[in-house]
Amino acid sequence: MAARRNRTKTRKRRGASHPNERDVATSIPTAFLERLAADVGPDRAKAMQQAIEVRTNRRALRLNPSRLDRSAAETHLGVPLTPVPFNPLAYWLPQDAPPGVGRSPLHAGGGFYMQDAAATAVAPFVDPQPGEWVIDLAAAPGGKASELAARMDGRGVLVANDVSAQRAQALHENLERLGARNAVITQAAPAELARRWGGRFHAVLLDAPCSGEGMFGKSDIARQEWSEDAVATCAVRQDDLLDAAFALLAPGGRLIYATCTLNRDENEGAIERLLKRQPDATPVNLERTSGMEPGVLASRQDVRNASGRIWPDASFGEGHFVACLKRTGAQAGAFTADRRETPPMLASTEGMPSPLTLLSEVLEPHVVDALTPNLRIQGRSVWALPAPELPLDGLHVLAPGWRLADLTHGRWSPAHALAMGVMVHEVRVSVAITDATAAARFLRGEELDVGDAEGAEPRDSAWVWVTYQDVPLGWARQRGHRLRNLRPKRLRVS
């Protein structure tokens, strides 16, 4: 049963990109409706059933604030955007928006993330501050983690983790696309991370695997796989995950718990059980936005006050739950324990050319100077580590930080992750594509002529940062009038 729940979560989080892409034919489980009626009353349960059955799955997106604002998104996507009340960066697409919004060059360049409206409610409650240490324990595919990274503005440490290899890879790709600079990406059991890093983090987000009842409006699979046993199994697993999440908090740190399911056992009940196990856990009142209701199913008033519900009959979005607690004690501090002396970068480069030469060709001097203290060579790549003192030995680490360069055929080349994370004032040479057709050609891996881009002029040899409407697309190597495309083959679109 646990394995089936994991598969449900993978489908749940990726979701359908268009209302007609998944035919919901399976009836809503009768036992689910009976449980819902017991929790919220028969009239409200009937209203929710009707809302689920007629769900239009209205699509939403969340802007990446360092890349795109609402005005530019509306202009270049050609559709009006309606604000979502749960998050100032989130907007609904119109019902008649074309299904290809997610194939826009603005999406490929990390300008926005397609996300269910209700799911956008969670990250603002985490409220990560630049310089903090934050961990997202079940982060794939990266919608919430990428927003946390954006809110931290590249400063501090974001650990983005998922236990599944497949989901962790999707997480890695999305954080790269959205330009995360301070992310450590791991694939590990939360209990193992708690054992290693207990008491170190200012904030922990646990968007827990769940029975996915909020997905009933668009997922036939979620309906088919639901059972009362599945709810009980999920609740037991969530207790274990919450214990690991709480153990990671420093005194004074905050824990945000979220699910996309509706029952009490996995939501308010999970918080109440944690409070019984953890005497230094304290509920924190939520400042709810329009469309979000208090937790109504808890026996404790403080749990109701610390919880927020987005119900399927009250919003355009999946059902969602969020709650906030803190660990009592002194204010949380950064991770300073177990700090180890790390050898200088060049001490690990025997037999290799220095990557500083390449970075100096690509980046402005002040950027290289700021990155140099935390540069490390691991394998055949250069990384800027947000926390060199964070012990990663023995963990499956997909990214120990921001990937800057790769060694190929005896020479360093700028990494695609570097292209996605830098800003225009940080690079030495850049060109801007203004034509959507030329941008699509670049995304396919084609070479361009300098005449296809603004700011381009013939050069003998240069690394060039290529953008479209202020979002990055990747690197090119310019020789004369030609821009040789260096966008990774794995990302090229047909």
Side-chain angles (χ1 to χ4, degrees):
M1 182 62 67
R4 294 181 64 199
R5 293 303 100 202
N6 284 340
R7 291 199 300 273
T8 298
K9 185 183 179 190
T10 300
R11 295 184 179 103
K12 171 194 73 173
R13 288 187 169 222
R14 290 178 182 173
S17 60
H18 191 264
N20 297 324
E21 286 186 5
R22 181 173 291 157
D23 179 24
V24 178
T26 303
S27 299
I28 300 173
T30 300
F32 160 76
L33 295 174
E34 292 173 348
R35 289 171 62 101
L36 189 62
D39 285 340
V40 302
D43 292 342
R44 186 75 188 271
K46 184 66 175 178
M48 290 188 201
Q49 178 182 357
Q50 292 172 347
I52 292 170
E53 289 174 342
V54 301
R55 173 68 66 218
T56 58
N57 297 327
R58 189 174 180 184
R59 293 177 296 159
L61 58 81
R62 176 186 51 78
L63 298 178
N64 186 354
S66 67
R67 300 298 184 195
L68 198 62
D69 61 24
R70 177 185 180 183
S71 177
E74 289 180 324
T75 297
H76 299 305
L77 294 177
V79 295
L81 299 177
T82 303
V84 169
F86 315 127
N87 186 321
L89 299 174
Y91 298 88
W92 278 300
L93 293 165
Q95 295 282 22
D96 59 354
V101 169
R103 294 190 292 272
S104 162
L106 297 180
H107 181 270
F112 61 90
Y113 186 94
M114 300 295 293
Q115 193 171 18
D116 182 81
T120 69
V122 177
F125 289 116
V126 182
D127 192 26
Q129 300 300 305
E132 287 190 326
W133 283 55
V134 179
I135 183 167
D136 185 347
L137 277 179
K144 299 174 179 69
S146 59
E147 182 175 352
L148 300 181
R151 288 172 173 266
M152 296 173 76
D153 195 26
R155 290 175 284 166
V157 182
L158 172 65
V159 176
N161 176 74
D162 204 279
V163 71
S164 161
Q166 182 180 11
R167 293 198 302 267
Q169 185 58 44
L171 170 66
H172 188 188
E173 293 171 359
N174 278 317
L175 287 177
E176 178 182 85
R177 179 175 63 84
L178 284 116
R181 297 166 64 139
N182 64 329
V184 177
I185 304 171
T186 57
Q187 178 200 330
E192 171 64 12
L193 299 183
R195 185 185 67 79
R196 290 168 172 261
W197 301 337
R200 310 302 189 189
F201 289 85
H202 298 88
V204 177
L205 170 60
L206 175 59
D207 181 23
C210 64
S211 57
E213 296 164 351
M215 296 292 294
F216 283 179
K218 69 179 181 183
S219 174
D220 194 43
I221 295 170
R223 297 184 186 194
Q224 290 173 354
E225 294 193 344
W226 187 92
S227 69
E228 294 192 88
D229 285 345
V231 171
T233 298
C234 288
V236 171
R237 180 171 60 232
Q238 288 152 3
D239 286 348
D240 293 338
L241 293 173
L242 275 167
D243 284 339
F246 193 77
L248 285 159
L249 283 178
R254 57 199 183 276
L255 168 62
I256 305 299
Y257 175 72
T259 76
C260 70
T261 202
L262 305 179
N263 66 79
R264 179 187 185 280
D265 291 350
E266 297 179 65
N267 293 320
E268 292 93 343
I271 298 302
E272 291 179 320
R273 295 192 299 273
L274 176 68
L275 293 173
K276 291 179 180 179
R277 297 192 304 273
Q278 303 289 350
D280 53 346
T282 302
V284 176
N285 290 351
L286 287 185
E287 295 184 11
R288 301 178 195 86
T289 57
S290 174
M292 179 176 285
E293 301 178 23
V296 296
L297 309 179
S299 59
R300 292 177 51 161
Q301 183 63 44
D302 57 353
V303 173
R304 292 196 290 272
N305 294 341
S307 304
R309 286 274 196 168
I310 299 173
W311 293 103
D313 65 329
S315 72
F316 289 99
E318 301 165 4
H320 231 75
F321 172 85
V322 62
C324 182
L325 304 109
K326 75 172 184 178
R327 186 171 190 168
T328 56
Q331 184 64 35
F335 182 3
T336 56
D338 302 324
R339 187 176 183 94
R340 298 170 296 169
E341 290 296 325
T342 311
M345 181 189 69
L346 295 182
S348 301
T349 61
E350 183 178 354
M352 296 182 182
S354 172
L356 289 178
T357 302
L358 176 277
L359 295 177
S360 297
E361 293 178 14
V362 172
L363 303 174
E364 292 289 353
H366 72 279
V367 181
V368 178
D369 291 343
L371 291 172
T372 297
N374 288 336
L375 292 183
R376 299 292 179 269
I377 291 179
Q378 295 191 16
R380 300 179 69 83
S381 297
V382 176
W383 305 81
L385 306 189
E389 65 271 32
L390 182 66
L392 299 174
D393 296 344
L395 287 176
H396 185 186
V397 180
L398 283 74
W402 186 18
R403 188 172 182 167
L404 305 183
D406 299 308
L407 187 67
T408 306
H409 303 303
R411 63 176 296 177
W412 292 103
S413 300
H416 184 66
L418 175 61
M420 303 309 291
V422 292
M423 306 298 290
V424 66
H425 64 277
E426 297 177 319
V427 297
R428 297 289 296 271
V429 181
S430 65
V431 297
I433 299 173
T434 58
D435 178 68
T437 301
R441 288 173 54 207
F442 189 86
L443 293 175
R444 290 195 297 267
E446 297 180 19
E447 289 193 3
L448 301 180
D449 188 273
V450 292
D452 294 316
E454 292 183 353
E457 58 187 42
R459 297 179 176 88
D460 289 336
S461 180
W463 302 105
V464 179
W465 186 57
V466 180
T467 67
Y468 169 74
Q469 304 297 350
D470 298 325
V471 303
L473 300 183
W475 296 107
R477 184 71 165 168
Q478 185 174 350
R479 297 189 184 279
H481 289 266
R482 301 300 293 170
L483 294 170
R484 183 167 64 88
N485 197 321
L486 299 178
R487 187 171 172 85
K489 291 181 180 180
R490 61 183 170 85
L491 299 175
R492 295 177 184 180
V493 297
S494 58

